[in-house]
Amino acid sequence: MNALPDPGEITNALSSDSFRACAQLITAIERATPGLTPVLQVLYRGGRGNRIIGITGPPGAGKSSLVNQLITHIRRLGKTVAILAIDPSSPFSGGAVLGDRLRMMQHSADTGVFIRSMASRGQLGGLTKAVGDALIVLDAMPWDYIIVETVGVGQNELDIMQLADTVVLVQTPMSGDDVQAAKAGINEIGDIYVVNKCDHNEADRTVRFLQSMITLGLHLQPEKIWTQPVVKTQSVSGLGIEDLANHIDHFFSVMKPDTPDMRLRRRHRIAYQTKGILRDILERRFHDSNDQQIENSIDAILTRQSDPYALVSELLAAQG
Ligand SMILES: Nc1nc2c(ncn2[C@@H]2O[C@H](COP(=O)(O)OP(=O)(O)OP(=O)(O)O)[C@@H](O)[C@H]2O)c(=O)[nH]1
Ligand SMILES: [Mg+2]
């Protein structure tokens, strides 16, 4: 991508719902194109505070199928949605109903659905920064909802959920053994629990298990204003999707932006995002440093004439 246009021009392009401007900016973020920072600063300050929904869960739990159904539901209500899929292994169809509409999307700027995937590989310093930046871009546009889908396997992916306002944790029906394993704690991050593939056996047992975990959590934090619901879905048929969408809306009506809980979440998000940017800048400084200089420093560390802390001091002192 060539040099970026002026931040003002970009803001104008985005506010007129330009998919092209948005897609180009996200590509620039992935490639760490120079000159992005002032653009992101302008976009952030003009951000709308759109509702950001994180959807996570184990591989193959049915996250993308669920998102497809949610897209269809949201569009039926005449609302708009942007989807950011982090490293998806399964593709988005946009839902059967939306197939044609999505095919047209490349040619039309006003369809109400934007889908973009981002790869987590090859992101120096962090996925956190890249996803945080992409969300800044999406938040500069008038979406009713922004959905981020990520596979909940590594800590990195789970961490990404800190960028969302609400987290939907998708599970599948568990056997008795799985239930024991799940007690280890992975369930703590969800605001809304989904037991997908409820056409399978064990769905009700899994729902009961999750409900008992939630009740236990309530005893520990009785002052919480939001109690996590457990929703049964079947994302191939669409069963339970409306229920899920209603719970998501209910979340936002309870956790309004001015409630202490939501303020705290958004404060945490800013801290998390800031740390992601900081890490990115520092790691980039290491990678961008003059190789010979670094090699010389490493030689000195090897022979104990220097140490890794001294090298860090040198890097921090270098012009950035
Ligand atoms: N039986 C049944 N199968 C489902 C259901 N929902 C999804 N599937 C199937 O589960 C498989 C995985 O679905 P995806 O939506 O791709 O799951 P995912 O969680 O996005 O997968 P990854 O992104 O690869 O982690 C597909 O073959 C779906 O057809 C369901 O409600 N019932
Ligand atoms: Mg998927």
Side-chain angles (χ1 to χ4, degrees):
M1 188 171 167
N2 297 326
L4 289 165
D6 178 71
E9 276 175 47
I10 292 181
T11 317
N12 287 341
L14 284 177
S15 60
S16 58
D17 285 15
S18 166
F19 281 55
R20 215 170 131 251
C22 182
Q24 281 182 341
L25 269 179
I26 297 179
T27 303
I29 289 166
E30 285 180 316
R31 295 180 184 169
T33 305
L36 262 176
T37 305
V39 175
L40 293 169
Q41 287 182 284
V42 171
L43 294 182
Y44 190 96
R45 290 175 186 226
R48 296 160 185 265
N50 291 336
R51 297 171 165 194
I52 304 179
I53 303 157
I55 300 211
T56 190
K63 300 177 293 296
S64 302
S65 326
L66 209 61
V67 172
N68 282 331
Q69 294 283 358
L70 278 173
I71 296 172
T72 309
H73 180 81
I74 289 168
R75 292 305 290 147
R76 266 197 212 122
L77 298 177
K79 297 200 167 159
T80 61
V81 59
I83 291 99
L84 200 58
I86 316 303
D87 233 354
S89 60
S90 46
F92 283 87
S93 69
V97 178
L98 279 176
D100 287 338
R101 189 192 289 274
L102 287 174
R103 267 190 288 283
M104 279 162 44
M105 198 168 77
Q106 285 124 327
H107 309 293
S108 156
D110 184 28
T111 60
V113 182
F114 175 86
I115 299 180
R116 171 68 189 234
S117 52
M118 284 182 94
S120 63
R121 283 175 297 276
Q123 296 281 348
L124 259 190
L127 186 56
T128 304
K129 180 183 181 288
V131 176
D133 287 351
L135 287 172
I136 292 176
V137 174
L138 292 175
D139 193 44
M141 301 169 79
W143 302 109
D144 291 310
Y145 302 94
I146 298 172
I147 297 178
V148 185
E149 179 198 325
T150 177
V151 184
V153 278
Q155 195 53 44
N156 212 5
E157 287 79 7
L158 284 179
D159 274 357
I160 292 298
M161 290 292 115
Q162 294 194 39
L163 293 169
D165 291 317
T166 187
V167 177
V168 175
L169 183 61
V170 184
Q171 303 278 14
T172 48
M174 299 180 215
S175 67
D177 286 351
D178 291 343
V179 162
Q180 288 309 319
K183 281 184 180 160
I186 173 212
N187 289 312
E188 274 155 31
I189 58 154
D191 295 303
I192 296 172
Y193 293 103
V194 166
V195 178
N196 188 42
K197 307 197 185 183
C198 68
D199 45 313
H200 287 188
N201 293 334
E202 314 284 1
D204 288 328
R205 179 219 288 255
T206 309
V207 169
R208 282 198 301 276
F209 160 67
L210 290 171
Q211 278 164 342
S212 67
M213 296 263 300
I214 292 162
T215 313
L216 201 66
L218 277 181
H219 288 306
L220 299 173
Q221 284 178 287
E223 74 287 359
K224 276 199 329 190
I225 61 168
W226 174 252
T227 307
Q228 301 101 312
V230 184
V231 188
K232 272 205 293 189
T233 60
Q234 195 181 328
S235 55
V236 278
S237 70
L239 200 83
I241 298 301
E242 194 173 345
D243 200 17
L244 172 61
N246 289 341
H247 280 294
I248 291 172
D249 282 342
H250 185 51
F251 175 90
F252 285 105
S253 65
V254 172
M255 299 279 272
K256 292 209 164 65
D258 56 354
T259 56
D261 290 55
M262 189 50 103
R263 271 174 186 272
L264 190 64
R265 267 176 201 234
R266 291 196 163 172
R267 290 186 75 90
H268 282 159
R269 180 198 302 175
I270 293 168
Y272 177 71
Q273 202 166 2
T274 308
K275 284 189 266 180
I277 295 168
L278 195 58
R279 243 190 331 264
D280 186 76
I281 289 174
L282 293 179
E283 283 197 25
R284 215 165 276 285
R285 200 173 281 193
F286 182 89
H287 287 278
D288 293 348
S289 304
N290 177 320
D291 281 350
Q292 195 50 52
Q293 219 174 325
I294 294 259
E295 291 306 322
N296 292 344
S297 300
I298 292 177
D299 282 340
I301 297 171
L302 263 178
T303 56
R304 312 268 171 187
Q305 288 163 297
S306 183
D307 58 85
Y309 289 97
L311 176 51
V312 169
S313 296
E314 276 170 41
L315 288 168
L316 287 178
Q319 294 291 319

